[in-house]
Amino acid sequence: MAQKKTHCDCLNTVKPVRDALDVISGKWKLPIIISVGVGNDRFTDIQESIPGITPKVLAKELKDLEQHKLLKRIVVGDYPVKIQYTLEPYADTLTPIIYSLKDWGVNHRKVVTER
Amino acid sequence: MAQKKTHCDCLNTVKPVRDALDVISGKWKLPIIISVGVGNDRFTDIQESIPGITPKVLAKELKDLEQHKLLKRIVVGDYPVKIQYTLEPYADTLTPIIYSLKDWGVNHRKVVTER
DNA sequence: TATAGCACTTTCTCAAAGGAAAGTGAAATT
DNA sequence: AATTTCACTTTCCTTTGAGAAAGTGCTATA
């Protein structure tokens, strides 16, 4: 059997995996998804629910998540215009992945810290 | 029902998820795991199998992956000393996660690019 | 004796990410 | 008339990460 192949088709794995990781990794992505999912739908509410996040970063991340179709930015009313953020149903497709990452992470902490 | 809770226990999710992501995200982690998994066990072989990686980065990533118990660095022989890298069986526990990330990523590309 | 190979390390540099702080424009409130 | 709120944007600055290139200490080989 061929040892040391150039693992061509593995690149077909690495690319989509990286796509997926780009969406959920990063310091703020998950906290934002959770915050919106839990009911915070206004910019300032989301900001205040996540200690340490700056408006600049929040604005950028919200745009990102919107582009990835994970949440919607809705303009409500005429004057005063209000903005409302809500999770798209599509965001739920992340749930099983997040929970398997969580389970792995919980176990991993044990693995790494055991002597 | 309580809206806008401070989602306390969600932090218990975010932390281990971040732990897990730290292990597999990054530009080189997965390519290295795959390269070693496929049979490249020498530093230079691994380096040559991954286009663009520099020895500095490879050395750092290998140390990382070793600390996370995903691979082993074995010193072989007396003189000439050879170093051999192999995946730990523990690395297999990542497989289902990687494949679910891949599946999600493949689908996500469709979701984002459809008009 | 000189060169090549192995497994890295060191130094320098640069770009991108991220935080702090202030500003903005419109409307609502006091 | 002045302040506050909302949803951001802008500017400045620092930190971090990564690449390029060269070096290192050892051995093996020609």
Side-chain angles (χ1 to χ4, degrees):
Chain A
M1 289 58 173
Q3 282 255 65
K4 285 192 190 181
K5 285 197 78 173
T6 40
H7 51 85
C8 337
D9 52 35
C10 303
L11 292 175
N12 299 337
T13 299
V14 172
K15 261 198 73 162
V17 170
R18 182 119 55 227
D19 287 346
L21 288 176
D22 286 345
V23 175
I24 54 170
S25 66
K27 195 170 172 184
W28 305 111
K29 299 267 168 60
L30 245 60
I32 292 169
I33 291 173
I34 291 171
S35 176
V36 176
V38 120
N40 295 308
D41 56 357
R42 313 293 306 279
F43 190 91
T44 19
D45 288 346
I46 301 167
Q47 192 188 332
E48 282 163 11
S49 75
I50 302 172
I53 199 167
T54 61
K56 174 183 146 186
V57 172
L58 179 56
K60 194 205 131 242
E61 299 284 353
L62 285 171
K63 273 176 203 156
D64 259 41
L65 293 170
E66 203 194 339
Q67 282 192 348
H68 284 295
K69 312 243 180 127
L70 292 173
L71 53 81
K72 250 199 165 84
R73 182 186 186 272
I74 310 166
V75 181
V76 180
D78 304 302
Y79 310 97
V81 180
K82 298 272 169 184
I83 310 290
Q84 191 188 2
Y85 291 97
T86 51
L87 285 194
E88 297 266 17
Y90 177 51
D92 292 340
T93 62
L94 280 176
T95 311
I97 291 177
I98 290 174
Y99 279 99
S100 61
L101 283 169
K102 179 196 166 186
D103 292 344
W104 194 88
V106 166
N107 180 66
H108 184 60
R109 186 162 284 262
K110 285 186 214 148
V111 169
V112 168
T113 58
E114 81 195 357
R115 38 126 247 98
Chain B
M1 290 61 173
Q3 282 255 64
K4 286 191 188 179
K5 286 198 77 175
T6 39
H7 54 82
C8 338
D9 52 35
C10 303
L11 293 174
N12 299 337
T13 299
V14 172
K15 262 198 72 163
V17 171
R18 183 117 56 227
D19 286 347
L21 289 175
D22 285 345
V23 175
I24 56 171
S25 65
K27 194 170 172 185
W28 304 112
K29 299 268 167 61
L30 244 61
I32 293 169
I33 291 173
I34 291 171
S35 177
V36 176
V38 120
N40 295 309
D41 56 357
R42 313 294 305 279
F43 190 91
T44 17
D45 288 346
I46 301 167
Q47 193 188 332
E48 283 164 10
S49 75
I50 303 172
I53 200 169
T54 61
K56 173 182 145 187
V57 172
L58 179 56
K60 193 206 131 241
E61 299 283 353
L62 285 172
K63 273 177 203 157
D64 259 38
L65 293 170
E66 203 194 339
Q67 282 190 347
H68 284 295
K69 312 245 178 125
L70 292 173
L71 51 80
K72 251 201 164 85
R73 182 185 186 271
I74 310 166
V75 181
V76 181
D78 304 301
Y79 310 98
V81 180
K82 299 273 171 185
I83 310 290
Q84 191 188 2
Y85 292 97
T86 52
L87 284 194
E88 297 267 16
Y90 177 51
D92 293 339
T93 62
L94 281 175
T95 310
I97 290 178
I98 290 174
Y99 279 98
S100 60
L101 283 169
K102 179 196 166 187
D103 292 343
W104 194 89
V106 166
N107 180 65
H108 184 60
R109 185 162 286 262
K110 284 185 215 148
V111 169
V112 169
T113 58
E114 82 195 357
R115 38 129 245 96

